[in-house]
């Protein structure tokens, strides 16, 4: 694992904590910011997939509905 790969999944984790901690919710713009970090190098490694799967598992029903199309797309493209 390169240093950039390690940094990316850690940055994703910290960003998600900040987003959830801000108002207790994750919106589409915040989710896309996290996804941008993950895809910065053009691929999703196992750690980034793990972090995204964990974030998805924490979504509340209202958030899940808003993010459902994006989550479905990620699952299909990257086997999350």
């Amino acid at each position: 694992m390169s240093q950039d790969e390690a940094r990316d999944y850690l940055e994703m984790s910290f960003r998600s904590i900040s987003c959830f901690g801000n108002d207790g919710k994750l919106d589409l713009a915040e989710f896309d910011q996290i996804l941008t970090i993950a895809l910065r190098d053009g691929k999703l490694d196992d750690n980034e997939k793990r972090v995204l799967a964990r974030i998805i598992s924490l979504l509340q029903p209202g958030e899940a509905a808003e993010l459902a199309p994006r989550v479905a797309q990620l699952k299909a493209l990257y086997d999350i």
Side-chain angles (χ1 to χ4, degrees), residues 27 29 32 43 72 77 79:
D27 63 31
D32 282 344
K43 61 185 171 87
L77 288 173
D79 193 34

Side-chain angles (χ1 to χ4, degrees), residues 7-79:
R7 186 193 72 223
D8 287 349
Y9 88 87
L10 291 172
E11 185 178 348
M12 291 169 60
S13 297
F14 286 122
R15 178 69 59 95
S16 70
I17 291 168
S18 174
C19 291
F20 279 114
N22 181 30
D23 60 3
K25 299 177 184 176
L26 185 70
D27 63 31
L28 185 56
E30 293 167 332
F31 189 73
D32 282 344
Q33 290 173 354
I34 294 167
L35 188 56
T36 297
I37 296 165
L39 294 173
R40 192 168 24 210
D41 61 359
K43 61 185 171 87
L44 284 180
D45 65 35
D46 289 339
N47 285 319
E48 291 164 339
K49 287 180 183 182
R50 180 181 50 79
V51 171
L52 284 172
R54 178 67 178 146
I55 291 168
I56 291 166
S57 76
L58 295 172
L59 296 175
Q60 299 299 313
E63 297 163 304
E66 177 186 7
L67 298 173
R70 180 79 76 237
V71 169
Q73 178 186 37
L74 287 173
K75 288 180 178 183
L77 288 173
Y78 300 106
D79 193 34

